[in-house]
Amino acid sequence: MSDAHQATESTRAILARRGVLHTRALPPLDQIHRSVGSILATWPDVVRKPSAEDREKLALNMLFRVQNWKWDDVTTQRVISAAVAVFDEDRRERADLRPVRDFYLAEISTCDRGAFLDGMVGVYVDSFALGAAHTRTLAQALAVRNADIGGRNQKLTESLPSLFRPDEAPKELAKVMLGAEHPYETLKTMGFSSPHTSGLAKAAHHTFVERLAPDLAEADARSKLFNWLAPESGPVLQTGAGPAIEAVLAVWRDRTPSDALRNELSELIIAGWNDPRLHTGGIWSGFDPDLKSVLLRWMTREDMEFFCNIVSLSQKNHMWPPRRDFWLSMHDEGRIDEAWVAFSADAYETATRQLRRQGGAATRFGKQVGIQDLSLLVMRIGNKIVVDGCHSYKTHVFKIDDPKAPKLYRLRYDAIDIRNASKLSKKHHWSESRKLATWEIWVDQNV
């Protein structure tokens, strides 16, 4: 009898003892050999992940085949896809699919070395979940066959000796990541086809971030973290990235980074995970509000600087510089809680070009459409909304609960509507000597 026949019969015997197979007449062994032989001999190294919509159908089809020992018209790819589906998060604990899981475990124990065994290593690594029963049973079955594993997974078993010890593997992998300058690339070379989505790498991610967190004030540690979260040659990590970004911000909870570092970190975070002022989903839905406020404070200063720089490029009169200095000093005194920018059409184009050169996104500011050549700075100062504009536009102050008060973070503002809705405003007047700024005093009194 051929090796394939022997493996199929061994699997059948194991499943029969477990009560998986129905007690019915089976097809001749040569038919089983023709239909199932490819399963045992031609599993590819890389397991193709089926779509979410197809997984239930694949799992139930495989259940029918295993329980009835019916293998006509089966394809290698279909059985591979079924393995992924049966051991995924939605199905790996379902009682009705236990016969299929038993089938794969039996095949691991009886098959020859080759593509099937290597393929099941991929299923184990991708479906890995710390403490999960299916992870332990797959690990136990594969550990017995460790010496027979080859292909791309041989390198993985050699570089990660604890691979089939589920309690130790994530810690050992995290140690590898901590020792690598580019953790994402390192995992790729080890044999992880998709490091961010691999269950084992996800488990290691938590330990990696936890151990790296105390050192994130240092440039090398930050570089290592972002090389993992947003690698140059791979996608940006989304699931699980929230705690990592929290760890970055936690370092600066009670201190302020340099302007250059503050701007760099703000841009990295926004580029990878969107502006939290405009997006509430993704990592921001469960983000620590105190740490989010750290980022918002950085972005407020950065956006105010950006606004002032753009306006300075287009404003050449004596009125703008003292107003610029006043608002920036108020921010540095901790009095401005949030700020948002709305540029005129021309300034908007200038700002967009400049921000793109810096690698930023144009959604970082809005557009003012009511008055030509007028840009607005919209701020929250305590329980007040304050709107200031360039040229001779007055400073307007609204109570935050006023239904007519402008809202922060809008992409479109009309300066005429704001002016008409305002009940409290002030022109920008200074004394000739600049020793007494009546406008500044008015702002202090009204906010």
Side-chain angles (χ1 to χ4, degrees), residues 1-17 21 26-41 43 65-66 69-71 103 106-112 116:
M1 185 181 289
S2 70
D3 291 340
H5 277 87
Q6 292 172 354
T8 304
E9 282 298 282
S10 299
T11 300
R12 177 179 175 277
I14 293 170
L15 296 177
R17 287 197 300 272
L21 297 179
L26 295 176
L29 283 181
D30 60 344
Q31 181 179 338
I32 297 174
H33 173 57
R34 288 194 304 272
S35 301
V36 186
S38 60
I39 301 172
L40 307 177
W43 292 69
R65 292 181 182 280
V66 169
W69 213 244
K70 186 176 179 62
W71 300 104
F103 169 80
E107 284 295 323
I108 291 173
S109 68
T110 61
C111 73
D112 292 330
F116 167 72

Side-chain angles (χ1 to χ4, degrees), residues 400-413:
I400 200 166
D401 57 357
D402 184 342
K404 294 183 178 180
K407 306 298 183 184
L408 288 162
Y409 314 132
R410 297 293 173 85
L411 297 181
R412 184 181 183 277
Y413 291 83

Side-chain angles (χ1 to χ4, degrees), residues 296-304 331 336-339:
L296 293 177
R297 187 168 65 248
W298 291 356
M299 293 167 65
T300 295
R301 185 62 161 84
E302 185 178 357
D303 285 353
M304 289 180 67
H331 175 274
I336 298 178
D337 300 292
E338 299 176 76

Side-chain angles (χ1 to χ4, degrees), residues 120-428:
M120 289 308 297
V121 175
V123 173
Y124 164 73
V125 169
D126 285 345
S127 68
F128 186 100
L130 197 60
H134 84 285
T135 293
R136 294 192 180 280
T137 55
L138 281 172
Q140 290 167 1
L142 290 166
V144 175
R145 304 297 309 276
N146 193 21
D148 297 324
I149 294 169
R152 59 192 284 270
N153 290 310
Q154 184 176 10
K155 187 174 183 180
L156 180 56
T157 58
E158 292 171 352
S159 58
L160 197 67
S162 64
L163 178 62
F164 300 126
R165 299 194 295 274
D167 293 333
E168 300 174 33
K171 298 175 184 177
E172 185 179 11
L173 184 57
K175 186 176 181 180
V176 171
M177 295 167 68
L178 288 165
E181 182 179 355
H182 296 276
Y184 185 89
E185 292 301 324
T186 296
L187 265 61
K188 289 279 284 187
T189 61
M190 288 172 63
F192 289 86
S193 59
S194 182
H196 282 167
T197 60
S198 160
L200 178 54
K202 287 180 181 178
H205 164 83
H206 297 288
T207 301
F208 171 70
V209 172
E210 184 180 70
R211 293 182 181 176
L212 202 58
D215 300 321
L216 288 174
E218 304 298 325
D220 288 346
R222 290 195 304 273
S223 176
K224 185 174 298 185
L225 179 64
F226 281 104
N227 284 342
W228 165 246
L229 298 176
E232 290 185 5
S233 59
V236 175
L237 176 66
Q238 297 297 333
T239 303
I245 301 303
E246 288 178 341
V248 172
L249 297 172
V251 174
W252 309 103
R253 190 194 298 268
D254 301 315
R255 51 181 170 158
T256 303
S258 67
D259 290 350
L261 179 56
R262 180 198 68 222
N263 292 346
E264 175 189 340
L265 291 175
S266 297
E267 294 300 333
L268 280 172
I269 293 170
I270 293 170
W273 298 276
N274 294 318
D275 189 331
R277 300 170 301 184
L278 303 176
H279 300 269
T280 57
I283 70 168
W284 306 116
S285 60
F287 208 84
D288 184 315
D290 291 336
L291 294 175
K292 185 189 290 186
S293 70
V294 172
L295 178 60
L296 293 177
R297 187 168 65 248
W298 291 356
M299 293 167 65
T300 295
R301 185 62 161 84
E302 185 178 357
D303 285 353
M304 289 180 67
E305 286 180 346
F306 188 73
F307 172 82
C308 292
N309 290 339
I310 295 297
V311 173
S312 295
L313 290 174
S314 58
Q315 290 284 316
K316 302 303 181 183
N317 62 61
H318 67 284
M319 295 178 63
W320 175 245
R323 288 156 65 182
R324 174 198 62 206
D325 296 343
F326 173 71
W327 290 123
L328 290 177
S329 66
M330 278 198 71
H331 175 274
D332 292 342
E333 291 168 6
R335 299 181 62 187
I336 298 178
D337 300 292
E338 299 176 76
W340 185 246
V341 174
F343 287 116
S344 66
D346 289 344
Y348 188 92
E349 294 301 321
T350 300
T352 300
R353 287 194 299 271
Q354 184 166 324
L355 202 57
R356 283 174 179 165
R357 285 196 296 269
Q358 298 171 2
T363 53
R364 289 285 299 277
F365 44 77
K367 182 179 290 187
Q368 192 286 124
V369 298
I371 300 176
Q372 188 175 5
D373 297 332
L374 177 69
S375 296
L376 298 177
L377 181 61
V378 185
M379 298 164 281
R380 181 176 71 83
I381 302 177
N383 64 351
K384 304 289 178 60
I385 297 295
V386 180
V387 181
D388 196 23
C390 59
H391 297 296
S392 59
Y393 194 76
K394 294 180 180 180
T395 300
H396 300 273
V397 178
F398 298 80
K399 291 182 179 179
I400 200 166
D401 57 357
D402 184 342
K404 294 183 178 180
K407 306 298 183 184
L408 288 162
Y409 314 132
R410 297 293 173 85
L411 297 181
R412 184 181 183 277
Y413 291 83
D414 189 318
I416 296 176
D417 289 345
I418 293 172
R419 183 177 61 195
N420 292 340
S422 174
K423 298 176 182 178
L424 186 61
S425 61
K426 183 69 174 178
K427 291 183 178 180
H428 304 88

